[in-house]
Amino acid sequence: MIKKYFKNIGPGTLVAAAFIGPGTVTICTLAGVNFGFNLLWAMLLSIIATIVLQEMAARLGIISQKGLSEVIREEIKIPFLKHFITLLILAAIVVGNASYEAGNISGGILGLETIFGEFNFVIGGLSINFMSLIIGVIAFVLLYIGNYKFIEKALVTLVLLMSFSFVITAVITQPNILEVLKGMFVPKFPEKSLLTVIGLIGTTVVPYNLFLHASLVKERWKNKEDVSLAKTDTIISIILGGMVSMAIIISAASIPSKDILNVADLAKGLAPLYGEFAKYFLALGLFAAGITSAITAPLAAAYVAQGCLGLKGNMQSKSFKMVWMIILLLGVIFSSIGIKPIEIIKFAQVANGMLLPIIAGILLWIMNKKNVLGTFVNTKTQNIFGFVILAISIFLGAKGIMKVFGLL
């Protein structure tokens, strides 16, 4: 059974690699530090919602043998609506991933610097972080090879390393199992926790992962009979990713100090309490989280750009490579010289806040179209879960946009 799973492991793990980036690690750290185990239920809810939506995206990719953006272009017949949604997808995912890429690389840098210290050099009065160049080169090499199976194996290895690192850290802190279970299954809203709950769900149920998953499964599987394999891969991989997020919350909950702003601070805080091992495991996990997201974000943007613009080709095509190269290059530049493109990130957050409910709604609509999926359309149960998640995504999207404009 285990051997069979590892043989078929793939796109689902890449999706888990994509949603456990430095942003997720940071929000999970803050959730644990500020609210203990009380918000573990929000992560459990996020895992269920992610499994439901990602399973739909994977099923669509295998049956149609098309990416989600391609199907949207074909199925929406009203020109104005088609152009608006296409522009929104491009803005949220291509521009968004370009602005978030610096954060992905910076997260990986924090992991390395926790172990090795800082390495900066000055050129013409400009201080450049050497670590960001290292991460950029690793990501470039993996993407440039352009072989899906090779990228898949590299990311699966990194995800397993990340999972091992964070889970071991959580075990080292010896949490109270009964309190952990209460936090998971008894929803609580401690004072000032609403934005953290929104953050936990928003960093797990990610719009670009729906596009990434639909595109990746058709690289891996070509037959309708493979839908069950994709479903198993999705469920196990996202549960594994969710365990990583929960492990970070559990680790952070054991720290008495509140002066922790990110996982690098957490690593330093754990060291005097649980020994240097905790610090190194956490730093290694953060490095893996940063580099996996630094690879999957440009990959998703390239798939989306191809689908939205109607470009043909695979991972080896010039247009595909051009998109991910631009996004990776921007990320390396912004992170290496310490620039934070705040206005672009705000714009991307607004676009993403609008995109998730729209795409969740469109996905539900498409998943009930027999001309696209035949007998693989949604069941009643899948639709009920889907509509509940759609309602949650509308709430999150509205809150996220209000937060950006300072209304919350």
Side-chain angles (χ1 to χ4, degrees):
M1 178 70 185
I2 293 172
K3 188 179 178 183
K4 187 181 177 184
Y5 168 66
F6 275 103
K7 187 181 175 185
N8 291 298
I9 197 171
T13 314
L14 271 67
V15 169
F19 79 69
I20 310 168
T24 305
V25 173
T26 301
I27 195 77
C28 288
T29 299
L30 295 175
V33 167
N34 295 323
F35 306 105
F37 304 138
N38 287 322
L39 299 185
L40 284 172
W41 66 267
M43 186 49 61
L44 183 62
L45 178 67
S46 306
I47 295 163
I48 294 166
T50 305
I51 288 171
V52 171
L53 292 178
Q54 294 297 157
E55 187 279 328
M56 289 184 197
R59 188 163 19 114
L60 177 66
I62 293 173
I63 301 302
S64 68
Q65 285 296 297
K66 293 171 186 170
L68 179 54
S69 46
E70 291 173 76
V71 177
I72 288 171
R73 280 179 69 249
E74 289 174 8
E75 292 303 314
I76 296 176
K77 308 298 183 188
I78 303 167
F80 165 76
L81 195 58
K82 182 191 291 189
H83 295 321
F84 169 73
I85 290 169
T86 300
L87 280 171
L88 182 60
I89 292 167
L90 282 169
I93 295 175
V94 179
V95 176
N97 283 5
S99 58
Y100 297 144
E101 183 68 355
N104 293 332
I105 293 169
S106 298
I109 291 167
L110 273 177
L112 288 177
E113 286 181 346
T114 303
I115 300 172
F116 300 109
E118 292 184 19
F119 286 91
N120 294 323
F121 59 94
V122 179
I123 297 178
L126 199 66
S127 179
I128 294 172
N129 192 313
F130 181 66
M131 295 292 193
S132 67
L133 300 180
I134 291 174
I135 290 173
V137 168
I138 293 169
F140 180 88
V141 170
L142 286 170
L143 286 166
Y144 192 80
I145 289 168
N147 180 293
Y148 169 73
K149 286 187 177 177
F150 181 78
I151 291 174
E152 180 184 88
K153 284 178 182 175
L155 287 178
V156 166
T157 304
L158 283 166
V159 168
L160 291 173
L161 173 68
M162 176 168 60
S163 306
F164 177 75
S165 300
F166 286 130
V167 171
I168 288 293
T169 307
V171 170
I172 288 171
T173 64
Q174 298 178 337
N176 183 319
I177 301 300
L178 192 61
E179 290 299 314
V180 168
L181 292 172
K182 277 173 66 178
M184 284 175 64
F185 297 107
V186 181
K188 287 180 185 174
F189 278 97
E191 193 179 346
K192 297 181 180 178
S193 66
L194 181 61
L195 286 181
T196 308
V197 170
I198 292 168
L200 288 171
I201 298 171
T203 58
T204 310
V205 189
V206 186
Y208 87 70
N209 271 345
L210 298 171
F211 294 89
L212 181 64
H213 206 172
S215 296
L216 289 175
V217 289
K218 64 187 179 67
E219 298 270 356
R220 179 65 187 266
W221 292 301
K222 306 293 180 187
N223 303 314
K224 293 178 180 179
E225 294 76 26
D226 294 328
V227 167
S228 61
L229 294 175
K231 187 174 183 177
T232 304
D233 172 51
T234 301
I235 292 169
I236 294 175
S237 297
I238 291 168
I239 287 173
L240 186 69
M243 282 173 60
V244 171
S245 297
M246 286 186 177
I248 299 164
I249 295 172
I250 291 165
S251 301
S254 70
I255 297 288
S257 170
K258 300 294 178 188
D259 301 324
I260 290 172
L261 300 175
N262 57 48
V263 78
D265 293 338
L266 176 59
K268 290 166 189 169
L270 283 171
L273 292 170
Y274 304 103
E276 290 292 307
F277 276 123
K279 171 183 165 182
Y280 291 128
F281 276 124
L282 212 59
L284 201 59
L286 180 57
F287 166 71
I291 203 161
T292 52
S293 292
I295 293 165
T296 52
L299 197 61
Y303 276 125
V304 165
Q306 272 203 321
C308 286
L309 302 174
L311 302 171
K312 299 297 177 187
N314 55 21
M315 291 174 78
Q316 300 280 5
S317 63
K318 286 183 180 177
S319 59
F320 190 92
K321 286 184 174 179
M322 188 63 69
V323 175
W324 68 251
M325 280 182 186
I326 291 169
I327 286 170
L328 181 60
L329 181 64
L330 286 171
V332 171
I333 291 169
F334 288 148
S335 67
S336 61
I337 59 180
I339 293 176
K340 292 182 180 177
I342 300 298
E343 292 307 315
I344 301 173
I345 289 171
K346 279 187 177 179
F347 166 76
Q349 284 175 331
V350 171
N352 267 304
M354 292 170 64
L355 185 65
L356 180 57
I358 290 172
I359 294 304
I362 292 171
L363 183 61
L364 269 172
W365 171 62
I366 290 170
M367 296 310 292
N368 286 281
K369 288 176 76 72
K370 287 199 170 182
N371 65 307
V372 178
L373 288 146
T375 57
F376 287 87
V377 292
N378 272 0
T379 63
K380 282 184 180 178
T381 305
Q382 286 168 326
N383 279 331
I384 290 167
F385 274 110
F387 280 111
V388 170
I389 293 163
L390 176 60
I392 293 168
S393 70
I394 291 168
F395 171 77
L396 289 176
K399 290 283 186 184
I401 291 167
M402 286 167 70
K403 184 183 173 187
V404 169
F405 289 111
L407 301 173
L408 198 64

